[in-house]
């Protein structure tokens, strides 16, 4: 029995490899930064990093490290408990209050990851009497969270407000108690920003709650980096987010919302109830990261300037990019093999990017998703642009 299972898995793995869809992980031997060290054939080399979610460059910030170290000295290493048994520190509540204040919500609740926040946000709030209308390109964790809940599901084409309206009409026809519209603030594979003004308007019209997963937007978009809705001068009803990207890049997730929503999640959300409390050092690091993010207009300016420089360089080299203003810059290559091959050749030239292909993006839409960071210098960006141009010409991708 186990033998045939292992054989089947080996066969499937070989198929993945033959299709050029096999993901290999590279070994990093330094902190996350604009330039990192990697280990290759037993040798260490320095490489420009264009694939971290380190938008504000805080992943290796000395003040965050100092705050985390101080918290370890004061609170120890771990809590060895879930929050409701004996795992809630004053530090956790301080962070939850701070997140709520930052995002202008009543309260917030921490999770081990945004994956857990999205996995645990729907089921406690909604039952079979309710409805969720979800964007087709939403993050895997939202899709899983919706699967775990009994509400009726409706899906609308990515950022297509006409289709959303039609789906809302269908949902409303069944007279659900509650309708939730769920969207990513920024779609991670395309860098597109959700149409919050229209989402907000439709939410009001259908008396729905608007849930925005702002993992790629907190710290990046809006005044003080308050996120996608704030970018448009608006507000969502529920924001889910991560401490693993702009806000220091360690780990942790949260839901920020109105008081009854947060209170109910604290009572009923399974990833919250049945998983360990966030380590104190991460809570302290995140508190510092929020402070730096709020005051980080200079970082957001550097981020924007870096992204503009890189976009212009690649367009001039002849690459096809998806349009946008977010520091996610998708370089479209269509075929998985080309995305892999270009990533390999860039790696040889000291540029670290990752190819994305099915099942992460639809078949035939393989790409290299470049992510710009405020930590990158113009010199590093120009080196990357030159490497893209050379490697692209070698592969016949550009003239
Ligand atoms: C990264 C990401 C997540 C998961 O965040 P973690 O904290 O790493 O679990 C969820 N949703 C979106 C849109 C993301 O980009």
């Amino acid at each position: 029995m186990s033998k045939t299972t292992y054989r089947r898995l080996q066969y499937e793995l070989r198929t993945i490899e033959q299709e050029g869809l096999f993901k290999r992980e590279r070994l990093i031997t330094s902190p996350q930064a604009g330039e990192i060290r990697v280990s290759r054939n037993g040798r260490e080399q320095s490489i420009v990093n264009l694939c971290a979610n380190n938008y504000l460059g805080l992943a290796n910030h000395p003040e965050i490290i100092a705050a985390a170290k101080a918290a370890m000295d004061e609170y120890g290493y771990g809590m060895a408990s879930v929050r409701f048994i004996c795992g809630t520190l004053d530090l956790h509540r301080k962070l939850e209050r701070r997140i709520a204040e930052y995002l202008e919500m009543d309260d917030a609740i921490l999770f081990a990851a945004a994956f857990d926040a999205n996995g645990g946000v729907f089921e406690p709030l909604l039952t079979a009497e309710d409805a969720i209308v979800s964007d087709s390109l939403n993050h895997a964790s939202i899709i899983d969270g919706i699967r775990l809940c009994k509400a009726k599901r409706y899906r609308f084409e990515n950022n297509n407000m006409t289709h959303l309206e039609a789906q809302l009409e269908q949902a409303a026809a069944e007279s659900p108690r509650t309708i939730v519209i769920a969207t990513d603030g920024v779609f991670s594979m395309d860098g597109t920003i959700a149409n919050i003004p229209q989402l907000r308007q439709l939410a009001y019209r259908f008396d729905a709650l608007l849930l925005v997963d702002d993992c790629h937007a907190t710290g990046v978009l809006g005044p003080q980096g308050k996120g996608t809705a704030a970018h448009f001068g608006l507000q969502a009803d529920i924001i889910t987010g991560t401490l693993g990207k702009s806000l220091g890049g360690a780990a942790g997730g949260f839901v920020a919302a109105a008081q009854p929503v947060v209170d109910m999640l604290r009572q009923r959300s399974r990833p919250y109830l049945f998983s360990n409390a966030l380590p104190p050092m991460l809570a302290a690091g995140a508190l510092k990261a929020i402070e730096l993010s709020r005051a980080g207009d200079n970082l957001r300016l550097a981020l924007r300037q870096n992204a503009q420089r890189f976009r212009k360089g690649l367009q001039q080299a002849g690459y096809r990019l998806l349009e946008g203003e977010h520091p996610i810059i998708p370089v479209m290559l269509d075929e998985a093999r080309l995305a892999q091959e270009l990533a390999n050749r860039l790696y040889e030239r000291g540029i670290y990017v990752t190819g994305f292909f099915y099942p992460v993006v639809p078949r035939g839409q393989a790409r290299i998703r470049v992510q710009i960071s405020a930590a990158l210098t113009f010199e590093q960006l120009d080196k990357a642009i030159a490497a893209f141009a050379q490697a692209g010409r070698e592969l016949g991708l550009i003239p």
Side-chain angles (χ1 to χ4, degrees):
M1 172 68 170
S2 59
K3 255 196 187 143
T4 56
T5 305
Y6 299 154
R7 260 205 301 280
R8 174 173 62 77
L9 295 177
Q10 279 164 346
Y11 175 79
E12 284 170 17
L13 284 164
R14 265 201 306 280
T15 310
I16 293 173
E17 205 160 354
Q18 279 160 5
E19 289 183 336
L21 302 177
F22 201 86
K23 294 184 276 300
R24 285 191 174 75
E25 297 175 2
R26 307 194 194 273
L27 295 181
I28 299 169
T29 57
S30 73
Q32 195 65 279
E35 198 150 350
I36 56 179
R37 278 193 311 281
V38 291
S39 167
R40 197 154 67 96
N41 306 327
R43 254 194 18 210
E44 294 227 339
Q45 97 182 56
S46 182
I47 189 161
V48 175
N49 186 8
L50 297 183
C51 50
N53 300 304
N54 189 20
Y55 297 118
L56 298 181
L58 299 182
N60 194 27
H61 196 287
E63 286 183 47
I64 295 179
I65 295 168
K69 281 182 176 165
M72 274 225 273
D73 289 339
E74 188 174 350
Y75 294 97
Y77 177 64
M79 290 311 295
S81 170
V82 300
R83 289 280 299 273
F84 85 90
I85 300 178
C86 58
T88 296
L89 290 169
D90 52 354
L91 204 53
H92 289 127
R93 275 309 288 157
K94 192 170 167 193
L95 175 56
E96 287 170 339
R97 301 302 312 165
R98 195 66 59 80
I99 289 169
E101 187 204 337
Y102 182 27
L103 302 182
E104 299 175 36
M105 292 288 192
D106 288 353
D107 203 354
I109 173 171
L110 294 168
F111 290 82
F115 205 105
D116 289 331
N118 286 331
V121 70
F122 296 100
E123 193 247 1
L125 307 177
L126 308 169
T127 71
E129 294 173 71
D130 305 306
I132 306 172
V133 189
S134 175
D135 189 289
S136 63
L137 285 193
N138 276 343
H139 191 264
S141 54
I142 296 186
I143 294 169
D144 286 6
I146 293 173
R147 276 186 191 146
L148 291 171
C149 137
K150 295 202 165 56
K152 277 203 88 167
R153 302 168 203 168
Y154 302 83
R155 211 171 80 124
F156 62 100
E157 287 159 23
N158 177 230
N159 230 358
N160 180 335
M161 295 298 117
T162 317
H163 196 216
L164 168 59
E165 187 176 359
Q167 295 296 299
L168 282 166
E169 268 159 10
Q170 264 195 36
E174 310 251 323
S175 308
R177 284 183 319 190
T178 300
I179 304 177
V180 171
I181 303 171
T183 184
D184 282 11
V186 171
F187 294 94
S188 58
M189 287 300 137
D190 297 342
T192 329
I193 298 174
N195 187 343
I196 300 289
Q198 286 211 45
L199 284 157
R200 185 67 273 179
Q201 219 172 19
L202 286 167
Y204 282 139
R205 211 179 99 203
F206 286 87
D207 197 21
L209 294 176
L210 178 59
L211 179 149
V212 177
D213 174 346
D214 245 358
C215 283
H216 285 283
T218 309
V220 176
L221 295 180
Q224 297 176 50
K226 285 170 187 270
T228 315
H231 170 77
F232 294 102
L234 295 167
Q235 178 63 302
D237 300 303
I238 302 173
I239 293 175
T240 65
T242 183
L243 306 174
K245 291 187 170 112
S246 288
L247 298 179
F254 58 83
V255 177
Q259 199 63 55
V261 169
V262 173
D263 289 350
M264 184 54 80
L265 295 179
R266 230 182 269 289
Q267 296 305 312
R268 294 273 170 81
S269 182
R270 293 165 66 84
Y272 179 83
L273 290 175
F274 301 108
S275 188
N276 209 28
L278 206 65
M281 58 186 159
L282 296 192
L287 276 164
K288 180 55 80 176
I290 289 171
E291 185 188 319
L292 293 169
S293 174
R294 293 190 81 157
D297 283 344
N298 55 331
L299 299 175
R300 280 179 284 278
L301 178 64
L303 182 59
R304 226 173 11 256
Q305 287 173 340
N306 282 354
Q308 279 164 4
R309 189 181 186 93
F310 190 82
R311 272 190 174 276
K312 198 160 145 237
L314 252 64
Q315 269 160 347
Q316 279 172 352
Y319 278 102
R320 189 159 44 90
L321 312 178
L322 291 187
E323 290 298 316
E325 47 180 314
H326 191 271
I328 289 174
I329 304 179
V331 183
M332 300 308 288
L333 301 157
D334 306 337
E335 289 172 42
R337 271 174 212 289
L338 284 179
Q340 295 258 56
E341 185 56 30
L342 181 58
N344 286 338
R345 295 203 182 201
L346 287 166
Y347 194 72
E348 299 294 322
R349 291 182 154 81
I351 308 299
Y352 192 174
V353 293
T354 303
F356 285 85
F357 35 82
Y358 183 83
V360 182
V361 296
R363 280 192 199 272
Q365 293 183 32
R367 67 198 64 183
I368 281 173
R369 175 184 69 171
V370 169
Q371 289 174 281
I372 298 298
S373 167
L376 291 159
T377 63
F378 279 180
E379 201 184 341
Q380 289 163 346
L381 288 165
D382 292 347
K383 181 180 165 187
I385 293 164
F388 260 96
Q390 283 170 7
R393 279 195 298 271
E394 272 176 25
L395 289 171
L397 299 169
I398 51 169

